[in-house]
């Protein structure tokens, strides 16, 4: 593959990644978004901000996270498999990278309150952690269905002092929670920062979230070079909104020899229509402030999605990943609910690591990808989160198996 | 002169302001929607229709519920346009639609959807999630069809931005009266008063499109008040749609209530002597 001349070019000044991105929001929100854009441009160049964030990352969040050689899995798959252990970050997922960065930014902007949307509850949990740490009042919007299927995270958010706002509209999942958070923000733009949890939303959010998450890929590169003396052949990450994938991939975009694999949720199977694979099956559309690839019907109503994993259950996907797909830099794959469950059990038994159901999609595909890899090839799978939150779902679907 | 310009000129002559009632096309079902539109038409100066959509981020609970009712009874984009075309057959009053960027679409899809709106007899489009920064391709394509893109301003819009938006505006300027989403409010907010007065002061005395005020305008008293503050029109959505939600079990009573309420709202645009915006 030809080397892409990428860094510094995306997004463009109007927030575009090719045809994707932009800022599609009601006028009421525009001044707040422009304010955020200016504030971020300032702190991006401010060494004091970055040293404060670095101190939080190392002293509070637990960075750098390890890059674990998965010996049993490597033997089974016939190539060298490494796991980037974002499950070991405080909060049990990569989400804290973003919430710490954004909350620090919000504090510098003089905002007193944080709001967030959440699907699996991981972003809501990370926002609640951050809110408690910074002494900021936190409200988390969550679909009623997700509240039910992620009860453990709901309890943890409440314990941290966050208020959970149940959303009963539509499919009662992440899409509606995001819409409701945007509506609430419209009424409270003065003192409230909307802490978006993925590389979605109006510009500059996809850029800000990617910038705070790109530490994942930077560490992978450094760690894998140290351990193997070469770059990986492939980096694999699951894609819902796309923040762990964007974070893991960004550092490698200009390394054409590194394959970047985004694994979407195939739900009950792409052919059943019950899935959440927007990159592979979506068409251009606007959702939650950005042009992106969107699962929609022929009259442009947004479709309900399906995935066993609440964090991937979203009909859209970040604009930068859409652009990387069109540019041929991002390769796409998908894993079904059943395949993800197999991988969930497999890693638990094989490596003593319980992966999140989201990350289990990446693990499931790794098995297929490895068929084309030889013994010396290195594959890095971004283990974006821990599966502790998914115990009820797995118990109900399949149980935990015999010893 | 297009239909919107004609209406405001006619109202100016009579010393009246525009009353703009809003319904979601196909709410609660196609047949009842058409009856409701016929009931409000005599009192309206401009008719505003929402296109039912799954993800209306600028709308509060009442209009979300209306969108859900309309979608559930089979009204998506093309059916909504058919219904609007049906209304166009019995009225020459201007019709504007409220919709979202995703419904309008991009590229070839945008071309098709705008042609459909045009054929249905639509005079103007309000696209709730397209701010000035993203408006250019929409505005050009809409104007090619001889329709107007209605621009929005809000309480958070700075003076400088407000003047810039008003300078580009066609049809009328939609002044969002409060920080928040659509929905009825008990009394007019201080924020609404201040925003209407600010717009009237900034835009008064110069040649600008008329200013119509919407979001939270819920009663004849509110209408009188925004008119006396300098608005050229009042847009009432949620308070009207609320009647539909309340009388779903008795459609005849729903129509009667709607007829009476919109008549009262129109009268409120006549009571006050208008201060030109």
């Amino acid at each position: 593959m030809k080397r892409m001349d990428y860094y510094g070019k995306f997004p463009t000044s109007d927030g575009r990644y090719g045809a994707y991105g932009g800022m599609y929001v009601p006028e009421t929100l525009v001044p707040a978004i422009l304010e955020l854009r200016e504030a971020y441009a300032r702190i991006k160049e401010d060494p004091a901000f970055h040293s404060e964030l670095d101190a939080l990352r190392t002293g509070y969040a637990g960075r750098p996270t390890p890059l674990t050689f998965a010996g049993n899995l490597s033997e089974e798959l016939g190539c060298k498999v490494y796991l980037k252990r974002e499950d070991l970050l405080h909060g049990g997922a990569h989400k804290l990278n973003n919430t710490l960065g954004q909350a620090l930014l919000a504090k510098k902007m003089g905002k007193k309150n944080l709001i967030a949307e959440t699907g699996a509850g991981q972003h809501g949990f990370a926002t609640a952690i951050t809110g408690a740490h910074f002494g900021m009042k936190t409200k988390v919007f969550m679909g009623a269905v997700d509240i039910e299927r992620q009860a453990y995270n709901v309890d943890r958010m409440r314990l941290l002092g966050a208020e959970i706002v149940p959303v009963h509209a539509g499919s009662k999942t992440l899409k509606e929670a995001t819409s409701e958070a945007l509506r609430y923000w419209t009424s409270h733009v003065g003192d409230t920062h909307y802490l978006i949890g993925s590389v979605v939303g109006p510009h500059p959010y996809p850029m800000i979230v990617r910038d705070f998450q790109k530490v994942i890929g930077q560490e992978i590169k450094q760690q894998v070079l140290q351990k193997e003396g070469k770059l990986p052949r492939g980096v694999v990450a699951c894609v819902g909104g796309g923040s762990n994938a964007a974070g893991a991939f960004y550092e490698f975009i200009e390394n054409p020899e590194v394959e970047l694999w985004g694994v979407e949720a195939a739900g009950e199977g792409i052919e059943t229509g019950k899935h959440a694979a927007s990159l592979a099956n979506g068409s251009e559309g606007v959702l939650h402030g950005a042009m992106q690839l969107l699962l929609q019907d022929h009259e442009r109503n947004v479709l309900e999605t399906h995935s066993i994993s609440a964090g991937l259950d979203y009909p859209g996907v970040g604009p930068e990943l859409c652009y990387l797909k069109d540019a041929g830099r991002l390769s796409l794959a998908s894993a079904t609910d059943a395949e993800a469950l197999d991988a969930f059990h497999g890693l638990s038994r094989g490596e003593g690591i319980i992966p999140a159901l989201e990350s289990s999609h990446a693990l499931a595909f790794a098995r297929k990808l490895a068929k084309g890899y030889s013994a010396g090839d290195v594959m890095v799978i971004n283990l974006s989160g821990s599966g502790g939150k998914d115990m009820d779902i797995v118990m109900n679907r399949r149980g935990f198996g015999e010893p | 002169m297009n239909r919107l310009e004609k209406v405001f000129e006619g109202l100016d002559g009579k010393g009246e302001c525009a009353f703009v009632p809003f319904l979601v096309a196909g709410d609660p079902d196609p047949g009842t929607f058409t009856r409701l539109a016929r009931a409000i038409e005599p009192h309206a100066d401009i008719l505003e229709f929402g296109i039912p959509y799954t993800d209306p981020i600028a709308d509060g609970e009442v209009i979300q519920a209306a969108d859900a009712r309309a979608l559930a009874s089979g009204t998506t984009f093309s059916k909504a346009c058919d219904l609007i075309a049906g209304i166009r057959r019995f009225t020459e009053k201007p019709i504007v639609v409220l919709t979202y960027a995703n419904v309008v679409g991009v590229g070839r899809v945008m071309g098709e959807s705008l042609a459909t709106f045009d054929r249905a007899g639509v005079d103007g489009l309000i696209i709730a999630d397209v701010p000035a920064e993203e408006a250019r391709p929409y505005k050009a394509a809409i104007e090619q069809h001889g329709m107007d893109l209605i621009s929005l301003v809000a309480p958070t819009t700075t003076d400088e931005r407000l003047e810039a938006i008003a300078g580009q505006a066609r049809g009328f300027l939609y002044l969002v009266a409060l920080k928040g989403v659509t929905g009825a409010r008990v009394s007019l907010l201080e924020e609404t008063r201040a925003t209407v007065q600010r717009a009237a002061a900034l835009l008064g005395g110069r040649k600008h499109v008329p200013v119509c005020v919407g979001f939270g305008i819920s009663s004849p008293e509110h209408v009188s008040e925004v008119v006396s503050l300098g608005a050229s029109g009042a847009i009432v959505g949620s308070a009207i749609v609320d009647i539909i939600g309340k009388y779903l079990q008795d459609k005849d009573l729903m129509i009667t209530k709607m007829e009476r309420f919109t008549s009262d709202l129109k009268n409120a645009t006549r009571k006050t002597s208008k201060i030109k915006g």
Side-chain angles (χ1 to χ4, degrees), chain A residues 121-195:
Chain A
Q122 285 304 104
H123 173 58
F125 182 44
T127 307
I129 290 171
T130 312
H133 184 79
F134 286 112
M136 298 170 90
K137 232 180 129 200
T138 304
K139 260 189 217 291
V140 178
F141 294 83
M142 191 167 184
V145 166
D146 289 337
I147 288 178
E148 203 161 307
R149 62 178 165 174
Q150 301 285 346
Y152 175 57
N153 270 340
V154 171
D155 292 342
R156 297 201 293 179
M157 288 186 270
R158 287 198 174 121
L159 176 65
L160 291 162
E163 183 193 337
I164 310 294
V165 184
V167 179
H168 296 283
S171 63
K172 304 176 173 64
T173 59
L174 180 57
K175 172 169 76 89
E176 284 73 23
T178 309
S179 294
E180 205 49 38
L182 273 168
R183 291 187 186 106
Y184 179 89
W185 195 33
T186 312
S187 317
H188 299 82
V189 288
D191 59 358
T192 300
H193 175 71
Y194 179 17
L195 208 166

Side-chain angles (χ1 to χ4, degrees), chain A residues 20 199-200 206 240-242 279 291-293 314 316-323:
Chain A
Y20 307 107
V199 286
V200 300
L279 278 170
M291 186 73 69
Q292 61 198 276
L293 291 169
Y314 185 69
V317 58
E320 188 163 26
L321 294 177
C322 298
Y323 176 73

Side-chain angles (χ1 to χ4, degrees), chain B residues 10 21-22 29 37 48 65 98 100 115 126 148 182 204 209 214 222 224 268 272:
Chain B
F22 169 89
D29 58 73
E48 185 189 354
L98 173 85
Y100 287 87
I126 303 154
D148 291 328
T182 57
V209 294
H222 294 175
S224 304
T272 322

